[in-house]
Structures are given as C-alpha cells and as structure tokens.
Amino acid sequence: MKLTIERAALLKSLAHVQSVVERRTTIPILSNVKLEGRAGLLSLNATDMDLDIIESVAADVVRPGATTAPAHTFYEIVRKLPDGSQVEIEYSADDGQLTLRSGRSKFSLACLPVEDFPVLSGGELPFSFTLASAELKTLIDRTRFAISTEETRYYLNGIYLHAATGSIGEVLRAVATDGHRLARVEITLPAGAAGMPGIIIPRKTVAEIRKLIDETDADITVSLSETKLKFAFGDAVLTSKLIDGTFPDYERVIPADNDKVLIVDCKSFSQAVDRVSAISTEKSRAIKLALEKGTATLSASSPENGSAVEELEADYDSTPLEIGFNSRYLMDILAQVEGDAARFAMADAASPTVVREVADGSAIYVLMPMRV
C-alpha cells in the first residue's frame, strides 16, 4: 500500500476513529486502526468489539492495500506534523512496517496482520429511518446528563430509544434515568421507525455519535435490530451493540397530578442555585427551596462553610412548601431548558417534582427531592 494524503483531512478522521480505541486492552489488535487504501480513498476502521467506526477520506492512492497500525501513536504523530503538510503512507508486507513521511520527518510503525482485525459490521438491520442531525442532537443532549454510571444497574447505562404515542401523536422518544432524575424528550416519529423495538444505546456510543454530529449538517440514517444499531452519514459509519436488558417502566415515576406549580425565569433561577450551592457540602450538594405566594427562597447551610440565602420573585400561588434538591441535578435540568421560563410541578416535599419548559412541551424532566 502506498498513498499520499493531506494532514488536516487525515487528522480529522483519525481523531474520530482513535477515540473508540480503548487505552488499556488485553487484545493487541484492538489497539490498532485498520487502514485500507483503494481507488482515491483511505478507509480508517477502529473497534472495541462493542462499537465499530469506519470513516473514509480522500487520498491519492498509488498502490492499493491494507494493514493495521497502533491507533494512538499514529494519531499523535499526525497531530504533531505541521499544518498544511502532505503525508505519505507506505506499507510493505516484506518487513511488516508502516512508513510515514512528511517533509523531513520519517516514522516507522510496527503493524499487525490485517486478517486478525475483527469485523463487527454485518447482520440484518430490519428497521431504518432518517433523522436530521439537529433532531438527533436534541434527543441526545436533553437526556444524556441523566444516564446512570452505576455498573450494577447496567440497563440504565444508556439512552432508551423507542416509538411511543405522545401528546403530538406518534413519536420517537428518548429516555434516560439514574434513579435520582429522569429526562424524557420526543420528536415526531420518522417514516420507517414504526414498530421498531425499544433499544438501549450504550453511554460510550452516545458520546461518540455526539462528537460526530457536531461536525455535520447532513441527515443521519439510523438502522437497527434488537441487538445492533448503525448510524451512517457523510463519510462515516458507526455500528454498535446494544445493551441487553429491559428498561424500567419509566411512565410510572412521572407524576400526573402534582398541583403546586412554580414558574421561574430559568436563567436567574439557575444562577441563584449556583450561588447558593457554593455553601452546600461537596457530598450532598443539598439546597432548600421555600415557596410562598410570589416568592421563592433558596437556602443552603453546612457546619463547616456557614449558610446562604437568596430570595427570588416567582410565579407561585399555592400553599407554602419547603422542598430540598441536589443542586447539581437541578442545574443539569435547568441547563436543558432553552426558553426563558421553567415550570415546576410539585406535590409535597417527599414526592418527585416535574420540570418542563413553559414554551416547549417536547421534553419533560423528573427530579427526586432530598431531605434537608
């Protein structure tokens, strides 16, 4: 294999694929990226056996061929080459070395046989539909903060994506929860998604696809089965295994009859929570919200730090209520509200609180209160 490629194009694609490669792996071939040069394209492929990414980039291929090279080392070399440079990549089967040349620099990397590289793609994906990149971004951004990191409840370590019937008719719904808070967002069901199985997309897959959609405005083709999911757009294809588990019945934890309603200016409320939480202890991050007609008072105290109180104007005219929250969880939810006003619906100090944007009903958040 012999080819020449522009550094910037190679670096961009390498950055995408190398982030899939695990830093510590007991299987040497999984530390490598597969390089395949053919008719005007260099194809880069990396996998961790659960997630697989293939990205193609234009290159001047003199001699087609394929090999595998250490992903992180290869990426670091290309990253440190000067801007605007051309990179010549050559692989000779005789010595099993990949040679990189650019300007006056020359690097030789030890390769592993391309035949040993695992193939994750393949298998039937009966459901397929197209999403705009902005829609997928919304589904991910508004739910990913609530994904659990607790390995024992592995079925919560991802976003649950499924078809459902919502307030606007048939919808594609994304849900994530860690037991303390829950996020649910929906968009109109795209053509081809009807009847799809409910799937749990792993946390790492969510992070990788989110990085990729930042750099594209193209529509994304989503194909899936009960065990596998594929995102295809532009020059990249990301294939992932799904979490094999049953997502809990989240509808049961969303209260329908919370009657104490608070409406606040989202930005000023979030900033006040942030200020007051400076006092709360690192471990509990607890703050207290005291509600009376027309006012909301935020307070926090800790034996070692002292206390803080801030009063805000608010739209509230139910009976007085005191309720405690984890300030970080509360700020995570408020960060998702894009409009000016947030609506809190509460029942009492021990029941879940429902938060939503006043102007947009597509997203709903549930937050468990704390004892303070």
Side-chain angles (χ1 to χ4, degrees):
M1 178 176 78
K2 186 176 181 181
L3 57 92
T4 307
I5 186 169
E6 218 175 88
R7 171 197 172 265
L10 177 60
L11 183 64
K12 186 180 166 188
S13 292
L14 257 182
H16 295 160
V17 299
Q18 65 90 33
S19 65
V20 168
V21 177
E22 291 289 346
R23 288 275 172 191
R24 296 181 201 86
T25 174
T26 51
I27 307 166
I29 194 76
L30 296 184
S31 299
N32 281 21
V33 57
K34 178 181 169 188
L35 308 164
E36 188 175 347
R38 60 181 190 278
L41 285 177
L42 171 64
S43 160
L44 302 161
N45 183 192
T47 183
D48 66 358
M49 297 301 279
D50 291 322
L51 184 59
D52 176 280
I53 181 168
I54 301 173
E55 188 156 336
S56 300
V57 58
D60 181 9
V61 181
V62 180
R63 194 170 64 238
T67 186
T68 77
H72 296 304
T73 312
F74 190 33
Y75 172 67
E76 283 303 313
I77 290 169
V78 176
R79 191 173 67 84
K80 290 173 182 178
L81 290 174
D83 278 348
S85 57
Q86 294 286 321
V87 185
E88 186 184 289
I89 300 171
E90 186 173 1
Y91 170 69
S92 164
D94 303 338
D95 59 2
Q97 295 267 323
L98 184 75
T99 308
L100 266 85
R101 290 187 191 87
S102 181
R104 294 183 174 184
S105 310
K106 180 186 172 187
F107 304 88
S108 290
L109 299 176
C111 297
L112 289 171
V114 73
E115 299 77 39
D116 294 351
F117 197 83
V119 178
L120 183 67
S121 337
E124 275 290 298
L125 299 171
F127 295 91
S128 184
F129 53 91
T130 304
L131 287 176
S133 57
E135 290 178 320
L136 186 56
K137 207 181 271 189
T138 298
L139 289 175
I140 290 175
D141 285 352
R142 291 189 166 191
T143 53
R144 70 187 286 195
F145 69 91
I147 295 175
S148 173
T149 52
E150 213 178 293
E151 296 303 329
T152 48
R153 298 163 79 188
Y154 64 94
Y155 48 84
L156 297 182
N157 294 161
I159 292 176
Y160 180 50
L161 191 69
H162 59 298
T165 305
S167 53
I168 55 169
E170 295 298 304
V171 293
L172 180 65
R173 193 177 275 173
V175 183
T177 182
D178 60 5
H180 303 290
R181 62 246 171 105
L182 177 143
R184 189 195 86 186
V185 63
E186 56 195 31
I187 59 168
T188 306
L189 191 71
M196 67 174 263
I199 59 170
I200 307 173
I201 308 170
R203 191 170 57 238
K204 183 175 176 181
T205 305
V206 169
E208 292 303 327
I209 190 66
R210 183 63 187 83
K211 274 186 241 170
L212 291 173
I213 54 179
D214 257 347
E215 297 177 17
T216 182
D217 294 325
D219 284 353
I220 295 157
T221 303
V222 183
S223 311
L224 59 95
S225 68
E226 289 189 355
T227 56
K228 213 177 266 185
L229 170 72
K230 184 172 86 176
F231 295 100
F233 54 93
D235 302 316
V237 178
L238 187 84
T239 309
S240 171
K241 290 181 182 172
L242 298 168
I243 292 175
D244 181 16
T246 306
F247 200 81
D249 178 10
Y250 62 87
E251 292 284 6
R252 284 188 314 127
V253 301
I254 303 177
D257 46 10
N258 284 6
D259 55 350
K260 294 180 172 64
V261 176
L262 163 72
I263 294 174
V264 289
D265 176 76
C266 188
K267 193 175 178 188
S268 55
F269 187 68
S270 182
Q271 288 170 344
V273 171
D274 197 15
R275 283 191 289 271
V276 171
S277 69
I279 288 288
S280 61
T281 59
E282 195 61 35
K283 190 164 176 268
S284 76
R285 300 175 184 273
I287 62 160
K288 184 159 76 175
L289 176 62
L291 299 172
E292 289 181 0
K293 285 190 178 170
T295 63
T297 307
L298 290 161
S299 60
S301 62
S302 76
E304 58 270 26
N305 293 343
S307 63
V309 180
E310 182 161 342
E311 192 176 290
L312 295 153
E313 280 185 20
D315 182 349
Y316 181 79
D317 61 1
S318 295
T319 51
L321 173 70
E322 285 195 355
I323 188 167
F325 292 115
N326 177 313
S327 59
R328 189 167 59 87
Y329 292 170
L330 185 54
M331 280 159 59
D332 280 348
I333 288 174
L334 291 169
Q336 306 311 315
V337 177
E338 288 175 357
D340 294 335
R343 179 184 188 275
F344 289 71
M346 294 157 285
D348 54 55
S351 303
T353 293
V354 178
V355 186
R356 51 176 49 178
E357 197 172 316
V358 170
D360 175 16
S362 67
I364 187 168
Y365 308 98
V366 180
L367 182 58
M368 290 301 291
M370 285 178 80
R371 279 205 191 92
V372 285

